[in-house]
Amino acid sequence: MTRDLTISEVRLTPILVADPPLLNTQGVHQPYTPRLIVEVVTADGTTGLGETYGDTKYLELARPFAEKAVGRRVDELNSLLLLADEVAVDSSRVADAVDVGGLRGVQTADKLRLSVASAFEVACLDALGKALGRPVHALLGGKVRDTVEYSAYLFYKWAAHPEGVTAETDDWGAALDPAGIVAQARRFKEVYGFTSFKLKGGVFPPAEEIAAVRALAEAFPGHPLRLDPNGAWSVETSLRVAGELADVLEYLEDPTLGTPAMAEVAARTHVPLATNMCVTTFAEIPEAFTRGAVQVVLSDHHYWGGLFNTRQLAAICRTFGVGVSMHSNTHLGISLAAMTHVASTVPHLHHACDSHYPWQSEDVLTERLAFQDGRVAVSDRPGLGVELDRDRLDLLHRRWLADDGALRDRDDAAAMRVAEPGWAVPVMPRW
């Protein structure tokens, strides 16, 4: 029987998902973070799932994108990114500096479009895989590994959101010093089996974060360690930290802002530099690679426009001898499944991928994806291999509907001002 792969309907469901009080250089995570769930429905009734950022600026682009997608086929993926070019972007929605929500570097209209297109591409691949009875990794050329390794994502953290703020509770406790970070890492290792650790830095003066990494190295000898201050340091501070941690760091992620500054640091240290801030589009690759500014690109299919673009990025990195791994945002299981499928198809994936997923206590799936020995098994079921829990989706959507708009756009600085009224986003470099 011939399947009708024409898109007959697109469902967009913005949701608010519980988020712990995790600290970064911009502030603290809000008690709830916005995500957007995309469902692509074909004429024969097959539904594919996608997920991306849920802030207003993404939702405003997703709506006209959805209208344009109806009537197209889910296997017409090469035209999907071209479709995104037809969607106008409100210039007031485009930042000219670090994006507070994603800490992803300079934001442009094209980057917004790609982040929306990525969810549609994943949803189309999920639907196509279901229609053909094939897993998404097979549609990408086939897996080269049966499991994908992930790294524990460590954060400085408050014990709870500020008093009086409506929030879900968690039992992780505070982590505000080296002992707290090590305790957090031990739990990640015991519960999920992670064997590498990444610390989100840029929160405290560099000496304190150096001490935390040293404590991790002592507690977990031989385990790969990473430190990511999201561009909070000057070139000289970056070099000082790199020098003090050169014997224990797998890589230093975005210690300073911009390709020129990263190139200066890279030229003066042997510690590899990774990025998800200065290389997030193909146009940013030539300068960064020719100047030797980065040695590892942390891909993110939300940034790059989907899974096929992620594979293309990996091929370019291999050509230039640059390592590749994966960046993570506050994603749910749909995105983790997509990350795992595409990561399974990249031959030269030599670094464990990042994942926020263990921090997310809520999901929209009938069954959470599981980490075993720090790895996620690659599903061989049709499509992404996940199933939507509609009751849960409805609950999280009703939370979004009930919000007065304060949480529909992630703003870590605004969340910090609840606890510290005078807080302002630090001028970079912060140290």
Side-chain angles (χ1 to χ4, degrees):
M1 181 181 70
T2 302
R3 306 294 296 265
D4 190 343
L5 301 178
T6 304
I7 299 172
S8 61
E9 180 185 2
V10 177
R11 303 179 190 132
L12 303 177
T13 309
I15 60 177
L16 284 176
V17 182
D19 209 6
L22 308 177
L23 298 165
N24 57 50
T25 196
Q26 301 285 310
V28 65
H29 288 205
Q30 296 174 157
Y32 300 98
T33 194
R35 299 295 289 178
L36 176 63
I37 306 302
V38 176
E39 297 177 76
V40 168
V41 185
T42 65
D44 65 4
T46 303
T47 300
L49 304 176
E51 173 194 343
T52 192
Y53 300 98
D55 305 66
T56 304
K57 56 194 172 188
Y58 299 101
L59 185 57
E60 289 177 348
L61 291 179
R63 287 169 175 150
F65 196 108
E67 293 176 0
K68 293 177 180 293
V70 172
R72 295 173 178 264
R73 289 170 54 93
V74 295
D75 56 356
E76 293 178 346
L77 295 172
N78 287 335
S79 65
L80 199 64
L81 295 183
L82 298 179
L83 184 64
D85 293 338
E86 301 175 14
V87 178
V89 176
D90 182 351
S91 59
S92 67
R93 293 290 188 185
V94 180
D96 59 2
V98 174
D99 172 22
V100 173
L103 294 166
R104 59 185 289 184
V106 176
Q107 194 175 88
T108 67
D110 285 340
K111 290 182 182 181
L112 290 181
R113 292 190 184 99
L114 289 170
S115 293
V116 171
S118 68
F120 283 81
E121 189 224 46
V122 169
C124 286
L125 284 168
D126 186 34
L128 180 60
K130 290 173 180 175
L132 299 177
R134 301 292 290 156
V136 165
H137 66 74
L139 305 181
L140 300 174
K143 63 183 180 180
V144 296
R145 57 183 62 84
D146 293 323
T147 63
V148 172
E149 183 181 6
Y150 287 89
S151 178
Y153 208 155
L154 310 179
F155 282 84
Y156 290 106
K157 177 185 177 294
W158 291 339
H161 286 282
E163 185 177 354
V165 172
T166 300
E168 310 304 309
T169 59
D170 69 76
D171 62 355
W172 283 86
L176 298 170
D177 55 22
I181 292 297
V182 169
Q184 190 181 100
R186 288 193 190 283
R187 180 169 173 180
F188 267 114
K189 184 176 178 67
E190 291 169 1
V191 175
Y192 302 105
F194 293 119
T195 58
S196 66
F197 302 94
K198 168 180 168 176
L199 175 62
K200 177 66 74 176
V203 177
F204 296 115
E208 296 183 37
E209 297 181 355
I210 290 171
V213 174
R214 279 288 171 199
L216 287 170
E218 183 177 349
F220 306 97
H223 289 52
L225 303 177
R226 307 146 179 197
L227 177 58
D228 172 21
N230 281 120
W233 301 336
S234 67
V235 168
E236 292 306 321
T237 299
S238 301
L239 288 166
R240 177 167 60 82
V241 175
E244 294 196 36
L245 295 176
D247 60 324
V248 296
L249 283 181
E250 177 185 14
Y251 57 67
L252 185 58
E253 179 181 340
D254 287 306
T256 192
L257 286 179
T259 293
M262 288 281 284
E264 186 175 352
V265 174
R268 296 166 61 187
T269 180
H270 295 297
V271 176
L273 301 187
T275 187
N276 73 277
M277 294 179 70
C278 66
V279 180
T280 61
T281 65
F282 290 105
E284 293 167 331
I285 288 176
E287 180 186 9
F289 285 13
T290 55
R291 296 185 66 168
V294 297
Q295 288 70 56
V296 181
V297 172
L298 303 178
S299 65
D300 185 322
H301 72 272
H302 306 87
Y303 291 8
W304 291 85
L307 307 189
F308 279 101
N309 273 4
T310 300
R311 283 185 46 80
Q312 184 178 353
L313 168 64
I316 294 173
C317 287
R318 181 182 178 185
T319 300
F320 282 86
V322 173
V324 66
S325 186
M326 282 193 180
H327 164 259
S328 167
N329 53 61
T330 49
H331 61 79
L332 301 180
I334 296 171
S335 282
L336 180 58
M339 292 167 63
T340 302
H341 274 276
V342 70
S344 77
T345 70
V346 176
H348 295 271
L349 190 72
H350 299 311
H351 305 276
C353 302
D354 294 341
S355 178
H356 274 75
Y357 192 62
W359 287 112
Q360 310 311 130
S361 60
E362 300 180 323
D363 205 346
V364 295
L365 300 182
T366 56
E367 182 179 357
R368 286 181 66 89
L369 275 69
F371 293 89
Q372 185 171 359
D373 298 327
R375 296 175 174 269
V376 174
V378 183
S379 174
D380 288 323
R381 296 191 296 273
L384 291 173
V386 298
E387 182 179 348
L388 190 65
D389 184 331
R390 294 206 169 275
D391 291 337
R392 194 64 186 168
L393 178 69
D394 181 61
L395 175 67
L396 300 182
H397 178 54
R398 282 188 277 113
R399 182 187 287 160
W400 183 89
L401 290 171
D403 178 62
D404 61 4
L407 300 175
R408 292 185 182 182
D409 294 290
R410 179 179 161 184
D411 189 337
D412 293 356
M416 179 65 89
R417 281 193 288 272
V418 175
E420 299 183 22
W423 176 265
V425 176
V427 176
M428 300 297 175
R430 190 174 179 183
W431 288 285

